[in-house]
Amino acid sequence: MYGRILTGYGVPMRCFEDYARNSQHACSLKHATLVGVADPTGKIPYGTVFIPGYTKNAEGSRELFSRSLNEVFVSRSPCLTPDDAKLLSVVGSQPDGMRKDHWDMLCSYRFGTIIFGTPENNQTPMPNLIADGDLDGDLYFVLWEPTILDHLQDSKTLVGIKSRKILRKLTLPKQQKKSLVNKSNDVSKAGGAGTG
């Protein structure tokens, strides 16, 4: 399924097939399915993610996994529309305003989660923008394969340019936003109905 969505965004099929073939070897694996979680510090900027854990850098030294990345492709299953995936920047160093002990806590987490930045001022939570996800155990497909990301980030084709706008858009379509507001209002009304 992710191969279809990636080729739909303009990634050449041969590029995806090459990666699919190479990713059968653990050292070439550049994607994972991670559990989405909220930022416990409230200081990871909106529109970014932090992926805990460690890896080895080019020199063979231990390095914070997020520090080795600039951007990742994030989606979720099922993804039904073109805006069910996002290209998100990765936080690789302690954000401004975050206490050192909070940063150390995030860095102590094991690989296996993707921590979404905190929304502010009525911003739509990032998981809602990714195939209407949330943070109650939803799994997110995260890809950091450089050749595929290059196509998503820099393609000069019309499909690539349009896809980049969709993948970077951090707002809900009006119809979906209205539906989310209506659901929220329904929940509020239901909660207030039994009080009195």
Side-chain angles (χ1 to χ4, degrees):
M1 175 177 68
Y2 294 112
R4 287 193 303 252
I5 196 170
L6 288 166
T7 55
Y9 286 130
V11 174
M13 181 57 84
R14 70 171 159 66
C15 179
F16 177 76
E17 288 171 347
D18 287 348
Y19 173 65
R21 186 174 44 259
N22 292 334
S23 69
Q24 294 176 17
H25 307 287
C27 61
S28 301
L29 196 63
K30 305 282 187 213
H31 74 274
T33 301
L34 305 175
V35 177
V37 298
D39 172 18
T41 71
K43 297 297 182 183
I44 295 176
Y46 181 73
T48 65
V49 294
F50 177 74
I51 302 172
Y54 286 86
T55 188
K56 290 194 178 197
N57 63 19
E59 293 82 41
S61 301
R62 186 175 185 232
E63 179 178 48
L64 185 63
F65 185 76
S66 278
R67 191 166 291 142
S68 68
L69 307 170
N70 291 320
E71 203 165 38
V72 290
F73 172 87
V74 183
S75 190
R76 190 177 93 68
S77 182
C79 49
L80 304 172
T81 66
D83 52 3
D84 281 348
K86 296 293 170 210
L87 276 175
L88 299 174
S89 296
V90 179
V91 172
S93 59
Q94 183 178 336
D96 291 339
M98 183 183 286
R99 294 183 358 207
K100 178 155 180 12
D101 61 324
H102 286 175
W103 177 247
D104 292 343
M105 174 188 68
L106 291 178
C107 293
S108 73
Y109 293 168
R110 294 177 183 251
F111 183 79
T113 59
I114 179 169
I115 302 173
F116 290 94
T118 305
E120 298 177 359
N121 303 325
N122 296 323
Q123 292 172 318
T124 304
M126 285 306 308
N128 290 135
L129 299 175
I130 302 169
D132 200 25
D134 53 42
L135 300 176
D136 66 355
D138 286 9
L139 299 175
Y140 292 84
F141 173 79
V142 180
L143 179 126
W144 58 93
E145 200 283 326
T147 307
I148 292 174
L149 287 179
D150 284 347
H151 282 285
L152 294 172
Q153 295 164 335
D154 300 318
S155 174
K156 304 295 186 233
T157 67
L158 184 58
V159 169
I161 292 167
K162 285 183 175 184
S163 296
R164 207 166 18 264
K165 287 179 185 175
I166 292 169
L167 288 167
R168 294 192 191 284
K169 183 178 174 188
L170 298 181
T171 58
L172 284 173
K174 286 181 185 177
Q175 183 179 7
Q176 195 174 359
K177 189 170 194 167
K178 185 177 178 184
S179 171
L180 190 61
V181 169
N182 289 341
K183 284 181 190 175
S184 177
N185 290 339
D186 291 345
V187 169
S188 296
K189 287 176 189 172
T195 61

